[in-house]
Amino acid sequence: MDAPVPSPFHTSSGAPLRWGAEDIWQQLQPLLPGVSVEVVARTDSTNTRLIERARAQAGQRDAPVSRPGELRDVGDVPRAPYGRRAGDTEPCLLVAEHQTGGRGRLGRDWLGSAGASLTFSLALPLAPRDWSGLSLAVGVALAEALDIAPPRIGLKWPNDLWILDGPGRGRKLGGILIETVPVNQRRMCIVGVGLNVLPQPAEGLTHGYACLQELDGDTSAPRALAAVAAPLVRALQRFEAEGFAAFQAGFERRDLLAGLPVTTTGAEPLHGVAEGVDERGALRVRAGTLHTLVSGEVSVRLRDDAC
């Protein structure tokens, strides 16, 4: 396991990365008093590091970690305290230029490299009445902060961002991993984000590779972070107050699957047509009758005849 290493602010090619952490902190501080903005050159997983901090503060190394829509214990995460924020529950934006053990949904690895990817996690206490649809709300916030007109970023239920190449066609741009951990009388929410920024080798990727440079030739990982940090915080606070209903229309405008034949995997696989999401963010699939699927139960892939 890699312990977090303070960033020298350089890419793998040696070109300096200027993150503007203080500028981002000045944007976030009025929204999240007490927030810290930290950049490290390398760590295993920014989500894991922030979960570990929350557990250390609570004195519960093995406190269960859950994801909205599912509950599972990820087991013992060895401690590797980082800097002055080794164990607290204040809001934190933790950025890694390179994640060596980034985690995606359903235990998948997230691959990236310094400068070519943006990987970060935001931890904050959150207490919505209903956690349903949170990953979709985060996707809407990221897409709206990064996109151009007409929209090129689509959202693939439940937690992926794609660049659209046509109706129902595209390539994966990024992903979202949301986990929560109980700390005393409240719950910390850790929102992990991975975005492809620059071109990288993409052999063997099931759904292709897309990057932000396709939308903005001058983009960089620090520039993308500056674009999404404050909108993400505002979206999480709005979700806490209003739930997914405040984001449903925004998701529907970018819904990659709507109206297309899909195949789901899970305890009861379905072959049908996606009919958008309901007011709680559950996927609706018409397969004879209408089925509603909540995040965490299934993975969804476009059927071959839709590509």
Side-chain angles (χ1 to χ4, degrees):
M1 179 183 66
D2 289 312
V5 178
S7 172
F9 305 106
H10 283 71
T11 68
S12 57
S13 66
L17 281 177
R18 303 188 182 278
W19 286 96
E22 184 173 355
D23 292 339
I24 294 174
W25 178 83
Q26 290 176 346
Q27 295 177 33
L28 299 187
Q29 174 65 19
L31 302 172
L32 284 177
V35 68
S36 67
V37 177
E38 305 170 20
V39 181
V40 297
R42 186 184 67 251
T43 193
D44 52 352
S45 161
T46 52
N47 262 37
T48 298
R49 296 303 109 226
L50 293 180
I51 289 170
E52 183 180 274
R53 290 188 195 183
R55 284 172 163 168
Q57 176 70 11
Q60 301 172 337
R61 285 182 69 190
D62 301 317
V65 175
S66 64
R67 300 171 183 175
E70 65 177 324
L71 177 65
R72 72 184 189 93
D73 187 347
V74 298
D76 186 17
V77 180
R79 290 185 180 181
Y82 169 62
R84 64 181 179 83
R85 305 300 293 269
D88 67 62
T89 54
E90 293 297 315
C92 180
L93 177 66
L94 178 60
V95 185
E97 292 184 353
H98 183 205
Q99 280 196 143
T100 60
R103 295 181 288 111
R105 186 169 172 271
L106 303 179
R108 300 185 183 98
D109 293 334
W110 175 264
L111 303 179
S113 59
S117 303
L118 171 62
T119 52
F120 69 89
S121 296
L122 174 66
L124 74 168
L126 208 66
R129 290 188 298 273
D130 186 351
W131 291 88
S132 302
L134 179 53
S135 65
L136 308 186
V138 169
V140 170
L142 296 174
E144 291 181 348
L146 293 167
D147 211 353
I148 58 176
R152 287 286 311 280
I153 297 178
L155 300 173
K156 179 174 176 287
W157 189 92
N159 65 339
D160 286 345
L161 292 87
W162 284 33
I163 284 185
L164 301 176
D165 296 322
R169 296 186 295 108
R171 291 159 291 121
K172 187 171 178 178
L173 174 66
I176 299 158
L177 176 65
I178 299 176
E179 300 176 286
T180 70
V181 61
V183 179
N184 301 323
Q185 300 303 310
R186 61 181 180 173
R187 185 167 287 273
M188 293 295 293
C189 179
I190 296 90
V191 178
V193 175
L195 293 168
N196 302 323
V197 179
L198 303 178
Q200 297 185 78
E203 294 83 1
L205 296 182
T206 305
H207 294 304
Y209 179 91
C211 65
L212 291 174
Q213 191 182 68
E214 298 177 46
L215 305 180
D216 178 2
D218 295 325
T219 196
S220 65
R223 183 169 173 172
L225 178 66
V228 303
L232 175 58
V233 171
R234 287 193 290 267
L236 290 168
Q237 293 174 334
R238 187 179 184 192
F239 182 90
E240 183 176 41
E242 303 177 40
F244 176 68
F247 300 88
Q248 185 173 5
F251 181 83
E252 289 174 348
R253 285 192 293 270
R254 298 176 183 272
D255 187 355
L256 176 72
L257 300 176
L260 295 176
V262 296
T263 297
T264 71
T265 60
E268 298 182 3
L270 295 173
H271 303 276
V273 175
E275 295 189 359
V277 298
D278 67 13
E279 67 280 359
R280 301 180 69 236
L283 180 68
R284 298 181 296 204
V285 177
R286 179 75 61 180
T289 60
L290 186 64
H291 302 257
T292 56
L293 309 172
V294 301
S295 178
E297 289 185 353
V298 297
S299 295
V300 181
R301 291 180 171 82
L302 294 175
R303 282 169 47 182
D304 292 341
D305 57 357
C307 298

